[in-house]
Amino acid sequence: MPAPSSTGSPSPSGAVTIRGLAPDLKSRLRVRAAHNARSMEAEARAILEAALAAPEEDPTDLAAFARGLFAPLGGVELNLPPREPARDPPAFEEERPAPSRDTPPQVGKKEGGRAAVARRTMPSKAMVRRR
């Protein structure tokens, strides 16, 4: 036999099981049900019916939400400076050809040749021991 709805008439819908309900939430439902002189099941049913009976609001975008939120506070007039023309784009040099894979990378004189490159890329023995 179908379970009666909160109006007392039999409901043709099936049962719903809620798993993983937090103990605090279950306790609050129990207290609310006792306060309203209902069973926990009847209280849960009443909560669902009330929540789903309310008309759904049309979704609004973020700008409309912000306007609605701050409209009661009034607006602000900003003194914006006049716009100026955009600056000229920078002039780039002609493209240089990419180095070929056969040519080794050149190291500047400041860096001290291959030894300087090795010092920058390879950790020293002392650094390895500290780790």
Side-chain angles (χ1 to χ4, degrees):
M1 178 171 160
S5 68
S6 62
T7 58
S9 60
S11 173
S13 62
V16 175
T17 302
I18 302 173
R19 293 184 181 91
L21 195 60
D24 179 53
L25 188 60
K26 184 177 177 182
S27 172
R28 289 172 41 203
L29 179 63
R30 182 181 302 119
V31 169
R32 183 171 169 167
H35 180 73
N36 293 325
R38 298 183 217 181
S39 68
M40 285 178 54
E41 180 182 347
E43 186 66 26
R45 190 179 311 114
I47 291 169
L48 284 171
E49 286 175 358
L52 297 176
E56 292 187 25
E57 295 180 14
D58 292 333
T60 57
D61 60 356
L62 182 60
F65 174 75
R67 276 193 300 275
L69 188 64
F70 293 107
L73 302 176
V76 175
E77 292 295 324
L78 299 176
N79 296 325
L80 299 175
R83 292 184 59 104
E84 298 177 2
R87 64 183 172 101
D88 293 331
F92 294 104
E93 297 178 39
E94 292 182 22
E95 290 187 29
R96 297 181 189 168
S100 67
R101 293 182 184 213
D102 300 334
T103 309
Q106 295 188 3
V107 178
K109 291 181 182 178
K110 288 182 180 178
E111 297 175 4
R114 286 189 171 203
V117 173
R119 279 195 302 270
R120 284 195 318 260
T121 59
M122 302 294 292
S124 67
K125 290 180 184 176
M127 289 176 67
V128 173
R129 279 189 220 125
R130 278 188 238 151
R131 290 183 187 174

